[in-house]
Amino acid sequence: ARGNRGTRLQLSSMRVLLVSENVPPQVNGIARRVGQYADGLRERGCTVTLCHPGSECCWAFANPWNFSASMMVLRPLAFVELARQRWDVVHVVMPLNLSGVWLLAAFRFLHLFGADAPRLVVSWHCNLGAYNESIFPAGLTWITERLCTAVFCPVGALADKLLIPTPSTEPAIRAAFGDRWGICSNGLSAEAFNPEARHSPEGKAWEARKQEA
């Protein structure tokens, strides 16, 4: 990793703020990946602070599109305190993380006045168009997709880097970052998709359940 002035940061000394509305023990792909990020960084000696709906720094409320998950609003004093601390990396997990967007804006604003800025990273983990299709009537999908894109495309001007699981993830957001994007691991084992895996105990159990269905 490199600091905002191009100096290489020692991984073992990095302070990382990870902001996500999906965290373990939630059972979904984003929560699993956030857990892998946090565990992997800590194993490498980083100090990781995880800001999420269960944190004391946030007010939490139910996600209106997924009642098994929560969304968050940062408490004003906590917001100021997080913005004042020194971080080497601030990683905001998307989509729909409005508190994270405000933090990105705060760090970018402070940098304009001479403050040392951390590296600002956004990771985006789903296509909102496909997500909207599973929730809204067909007539509203186009409107909601355009609305979400308009709200979140500005992160391309706030963050330094975009991480996505595949090159086809959210093309409009990826375009907003130009060439400042990269692939993040999705945590899946490629061997699980090997045809030979169907002969493993897990593969045989899956075949049996498929025949029963």
Side-chain angles (χ1 to χ4, degrees), residues 18 20-21 29 33 45 56 60 64 82 90 96 100 134-135 152 160 165 203:
L18 187 54
S20 177
E21 293 180 327
R33 207 167 301 162
E56 293 183 358
L82 288 172
V90 174
L96 306 181
S134 67
I135 299 172
F152 289 102
D160 300 307

Side-chain angles (χ1 to χ4, degrees), residues 48-125:
V48 180
T49 298
L50 186 57
C51 179
H52 60 93
S55 303
E56 293 183 358
C57 63
C58 302
W59 290 306
F61 59 96
N63 185 330
W65 296 279
N66 179 5
F67 290 113
S68 65
S70 296
M71 302 181 79
M72 66 181 181
V73 174
L74 279 169
R75 299 175 186 270
L77 291 179
F79 179 92
V80 172
E81 182 60 27
L82 288 172
R84 291 177 58 186
Q85 291 186 50
R86 184 190 68 79
W87 308 99
D88 295 303
V89 176
V90 174
H91 179 169
V92 174
V93 179
M94 294 287 189
L96 306 181
N97 188 344
L98 287 171
S99 288
V101 173
W102 282 110
L103 271 175
L104 293 174
F107 285 114
R108 186 60 69 194
F109 179 79
L110 291 172
H111 184 52
L112 293 176
F113 289 89
D116 287 336
R119 296 291 287 178
L120 303 177
V121 178
V122 165
S123 58
W124 196 283
H125 298 271

